[in-house]
Amino acid sequence: MKLIRRTSFRIISLIIGFSFLCAGCTHLSEITEIPQATVSPVSNSFGDGGFLSESPCGPPCFYGITPGETTEEEAKVIIQDEVSLFKNCTSFDNTSIDGDKGITCEYCGFTFDENFVSSVGFRPNERIELGQALEKIGEPDHLIPFSTSLPEYPLEGRYILCFDKPRISIWLPEIEGSKYNISPLTIIESINYGTDEAYQSSACSMIYESVEWEGYGDYPIQWD
């Protein structure tokens, strides 16, 4: 497996932060030699977000909101009208410090650029296995390992799967251990869609940190 030596880096997501997607994440207290990635269902009304069912629309569309096509105002109307879906939404604007602006809700978020939606991120309520995702959109172009642990703590991290066309990134759950077993049964934690510009400024742009996709199997969380 070809793996570029990892150094610490600041992950840049398609969505602003990852905290709203991680609400309710399961932290594994008991692990095997090669931990299996799992994630608990979250309480929302998104279902699969249309990712597999394509209802009400399929990727890269999320409930009528498509990066690069849906305007900022159109997205805001959809979010305001679908109050049963988009809960506890908050607007933010960090453009004065070269950041993004957008809206975060429970288990989903949106960013805007030049009056259009630039990215969409959501955590599905239904179980989506990685094998189902790859059957639908093909194999990832590359993977990004993301170690989150400090030296004095057990190693833990996750993998992000990057798809160049369409511009999709899939976040796998965080685990403890030195190896990450990626299998057809690995549960997807969150899904992000973005424009070319958003994708190129996301974690998936970290090509020097990337791992080549070599099929299902064990991938190191950190390379020494």
Side-chain angles (χ1 to χ4, degrees):
M1 178 184 300
K2 180 181 178 183
L3 175 62
I4 306 301
R5 182 177 178 86
R6 293 196 73 252
T7 56
S8 297
F9 66 94
R10 177 179 176 272
I11 206 91
I12 306 174
S13 174
L14 286 174
I15 50 179
I16 290 300
F18 192 66
S19 58
F20 67 88
L21 289 177
C22 281
C25 291
T26 298
H27 185 74
L28 303 184
S29 58
E30 297 182 0
I31 60 173
T32 58
E33 182 178 355
I34 300 175
Q36 302 294 314
T38 60
V39 63
S40 298
V42 296
S43 179
N44 64 48
S45 303
F46 296 150
D48 70 350
F51 184 78
L52 296 177
S53 65
E54 299 194 2
S55 176
C57 59
C61 174
F62 176 68
Y63 282 91
I65 300 175
T66 303
E69 296 182 9
T70 306
T71 67
E72 179 178 343
E73 290 306 314
E74 288 171 340
K76 288 179 177 179
V77 169
I78 292 172
I79 293 169
Q80 291 171 357
D81 287 348
E82 298 289 347
V83 292
S84 62
L85 288 174
F86 304 110
K87 300 177 181 178
N88 298 326
C89 298
T90 303
S91 298
F92 62 89
D93 187 345
N94 297 316
T95 54
S96 62
I97 54 173
D98 295 326
D100 293 314
K101 69 174 180 176
I103 296 174
T104 59
C105 307
E106 285 187 353
Y107 306 112
C108 70
F110 312 87
T111 59
F112 307 126
D113 185 39
E114 296 183 353
N115 299 317
F116 279 86
V117 175
S118 57
S119 67
V120 172
F122 68 96
R123 187 172 173 194
N125 184 41
E126 293 182 2
R127 177 189 179 100
I128 301 178
E129 297 175 353
L130 184 58
Q132 295 174 296
L134 300 195
E135 183 177 349
K136 183 177 182 65
I137 62 176
E139 296 181 345
D141 292 281
H142 59 280
L143 292 69
I144 304 294
F146 182 28
S147 176
T148 58
S149 57
L150 297 174
E152 62 269 28
Y153 293 98
L155 189 62
E156 58 184 27
R158 69 173 72 246
Y159 262 87
I160 304 168
L161 279 59
C162 303
F163 302 79
D164 292 344
K165 291 185 179 180
R167 301 297 202 183
I168 296 176
S169 64
I170 290 177
W171 293 59
L172 303 183
E174 185 177 275
I175 66 166
E176 291 183 354
S178 61
K179 293 183 179 180
Y180 201 113
N181 181 254
I182 300 178
S183 81
L185 301 180
T186 300
I187 304 304
I188 291 173
E189 185 170 83
S190 67
I191 300 170
N192 301 325
Y193 308 140
T195 61
D196 288 348
E197 293 77 9
Y199 186 82
Q200 290 166 3
S201 65
S202 74
C204 287
S205 68
M206 305 294 189
I207 301 300
Y208 60 90
E209 301 283 357
S210 68
V211 176
E212 294 179 356
W213 170 252
E214 295 187 355
Y216 298 116
D218 300 333
Y219 291 80
I221 288 180
Q222 190 173 46
W223 188 264
D224 296 320

